Amino acid sequence: MTKPITSVALMSLYEQGYFQLNDPVSRFVPSGKNHRVWVSGEGAEMKTEAPHREVSFAHVLSHTAGLTYGGGLPGVGIQHPIDKIYRELKVALGGRGGPP
């Protein structure tokens, strides 16, 4: 239920003129400026690169920003090398508080 609430909040701020949909998210979240994206490989062999363009509010609102909950689908297991890293680092997965 967080996605619709967050989307409505963002659109309210957009209507008030706080940002444009094509503005980079890093304008408000500076740590997002230097992120990297997965290209190939796993573990020590993993290759990443700078994204071709910065993530915009339009990407976030249309769920095309490349963000992941990690951990794959519940009960399905690890589906992507990034999910494996999330588990190793004990990053909270999809609001579930991290791996068991």
Side-chain angles (χ1 to χ4, degrees):
M1 190 62 186
T2 59
K3 286 181 184 179
I5 293 169
T6 303
S7 296
V8 168
L10 279 174
M11 291 310 295
S12 294
L13 293 170
Y14 166 75
E15 287 178 342
Q16 294 173 41
Y18 284 94
F19 67 89
Q20 295 298 307
L21 294 177
N22 289 325
D23 284 349
V25 173
S26 64
R27 179 175 162 207
F28 297 94
V29 184
S31 62
K33 183 124 180 114
N34 298 319
H35 78 282
R36 299 190 56 84
V37 296
W38 178 84
V39 176
S40 64
E42 290 188 41
E45 303 299 316
M46 184 176 289
K47 292 184 180 14
T48 63
E49 67 183 19
H52 297 289
R53 61 180 172 254
E54 285 195 60
V55 174
S56 70
F57 286 98
H59 292 128
V60 172
L61 288 165
S62 63
H63 309 291
T64 59
L67 304 174
T68 177
Y69 283 117
L73 299 172
V76 178
I78 297 173
Q79 297 180 334
H80 194 279
I82 297 298
D83 298 336
K84 183 176 180 183
I85 289 175
Y86 278 11
R87 286 182 191 269
E88 290 170 359
L89 295 175
K90 297 187 170 134
V91 172
L93 306 174
R96 296 188 307 271

